[in-house]
């Protein structure tokens, strides 16, 4: 099964993608994670993408499509039963490229989960988030602190990081990019009968249960 998690920044796509990866034999492909890794490694791609990301705008289609293609090629033979795409596609051109990449590999997209959240809640959500620097487990200043202060619940390490683009000004730009460039994908995939909407405002466990229900029969 191959699925796309679609929703605005802060909707919980990364959290749910990780849960799905842990509970099913699926491989998570997150262009945001790949781009941040490229920025941290100082590669040419990272240098091209870094400034754009800090402004909250979208990185050019050809760059992110190239990243996804490369990852799918490395995963030749498939280490799992399919892909969870988190943060990709974000434009119609990317969606068309995804259809093509899957088709070339004898696969298809089965479901698109749209995580519905309202904009005002997103700014608060995003401004409080941080993650374990080692395993990437996500936390939040209000909603999800580590059980033991300063120690990651998942891997026990004690370093945490905050994303540079998780501040109010950049979040507003990211939301604008979402509404203008990514939201049209909901229509694109609705026409293909692949969309299932879930209430992204519910707590993590409830959203996860709703997603499982939405995937049944896919
Ligand atoms: P994310 O972690 O998915 O919120 O992505 C963080 C930032 O990376 C976005 O604000 C964009 O600048 C860039 N980015 C991630 N995925 C894409 C994509 N599919 N297309 C264009 N830009 C992307």
């Amino acid at each position: 099964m191959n699925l796309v998690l679609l929703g605005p920044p802060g909707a919980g796509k990364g959290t749910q993608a990780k849960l799905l990866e842990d509970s099913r034999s699926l491989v998570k492909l997150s262009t945001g994670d790949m781009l941040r890794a490229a920025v941290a490694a100082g590669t040419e791609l990272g240098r091209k993408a870094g400034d754009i990301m800090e402004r909250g705008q979208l990185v050019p289609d050809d760059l992110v499509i190239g990243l996804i293609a490369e990852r799918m090629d490395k995963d030749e033979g498939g280490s799992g039963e399919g892909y969870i795409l988190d943060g990709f596609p974000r434009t119609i051109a990317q969606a068309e490229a995804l259809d093509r990449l899957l088709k070339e590999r004898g696969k298809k997209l089965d479901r698109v989960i749209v995580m519905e959240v309202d904009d005002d809640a997103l700014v608060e959500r995003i401004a409080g988030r941080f993650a374990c620097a080692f395993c990437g487990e996500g936390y939040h200043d209000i909603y999800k602190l580590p059980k033991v202060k300063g120690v990651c619940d998942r891997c026990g390490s004690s370093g945490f990081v905050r994303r540079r683009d998780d501040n109010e000004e950049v979040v507003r730009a990211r939301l604008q990019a979402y509404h203008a460039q990514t939201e049209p994908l909901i229509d694109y995939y609705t026409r293909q009968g692949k969309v299932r909407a879930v209430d992204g405002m519910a707590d993590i466990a409830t959203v996860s249960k709703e997603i499982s229900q939405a995937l049944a029969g896919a």
Side-chain angles (χ1 to χ4, degrees):
M1 175 178 37
N2 298 294
L3 64 128
V4 164
L5 295 183
L6 194 67
K13 300 186 297 293
T15 302
Q16 295 298 332
K18 219 168 191 0
L19 287 174
L20 282 164
E21 192 181 39
D22 290 346
S23 64
R24 300 172 185 241
S25 191
L26 296 170
V27 174
K28 175 174 107 142
L29 299 179
S30 158
T31 39
D33 287 351
M34 295 175 204
L35 289 166
R36 279 185 288 281
V39 171
T43 64
E44 196 191 329
L45 168 69
R47 280 193 295 277
K48 278 188 198 155
D51 287 348
I52 303 173
M53 292 167 76
E54 284 200 21
R55 288 198 300 271
Q57 294 167 353
L58 294 189
V59 170
D61 288 334
D62 55 334
L63 298 184
V64 286
I65 292 166
L67 279 175
I68 291 285
E70 196 182 314
R71 203 52 76 88
M72 285 184 176
D73 286 341
K74 274 197 198 136
D75 187 45
E76 201 67 73
S79 54
E81 285 168 14
Y83 297 114
I84 312 161
L85 291 137
D86 159 21
F88 180 93
R90 266 175 153 100
T91 63
I92 297 284
Q94 292 179 23
E96 289 169 351
L98 176 63
D99 290 341
R100 200 174 58 243
L101 289 172
L102 288 172
K103 198 167 169 204
E104 282 165 6
R105 290 161 179 79
K107 303 173 197 279
K108 68 174 176 49
L109 182 61
D110 300 290
R111 278 275 186 279
V112 176
I113 305 292
V114 175
M115 303 183 62
E116 296 178 330
V117 196
D118 56 74
D119 280 13
D120 290 339
L122 291 173
V123 178
E124 184 191 271
R125 272 194 185 190
I126 293 181
R129 54 184 202 183
F130 61 102
C132 171
F134 186 72
C135 74
E137 181 73 4
Y139 295 96
H140 193 278
D141 292 327
I142 299 168
Y143 307 115
K144 190 189 162 200
L145 283 165
K147 292 193 180 83
V148 177
K149 196 174 174 213
V151 180
C152 176
D153 297 346
R154 192 170 194 234
C155 74
S157 71
S158 55
F160 295 91
V161 286
R162 282 178 198 264
R163 283 172 48 169
R164 290 169 68 91
D165 59 351
D166 275 355
N167 61 71
E168 181 159 352
E169 196 190 327
V170 181
V171 170
R172 300 234 178 252
R174 287 160 66 198
L175 279 173
Q176 217 174 349
Y178 174 77
H179 291 305
Q181 290 162 279
T182 308
E183 224 164 32
L185 293 182
I186 299 177
D187 271 350
Y188 176 86
Y189 286 126
T190 299
R191 282 196 295 275
Q192 299 180 12
K194 292 181 177 161
V195 168
R196 300 290 181 275
V198 301
D199 175 14
M201 298 300 289
D203 60 77
I204 293 171
T206 307
V207 177
S208 169
K209 207 185 308 165
E210 271 195 49
I211 291 178
S212 290
Q213 284 161 2
L215 295 179

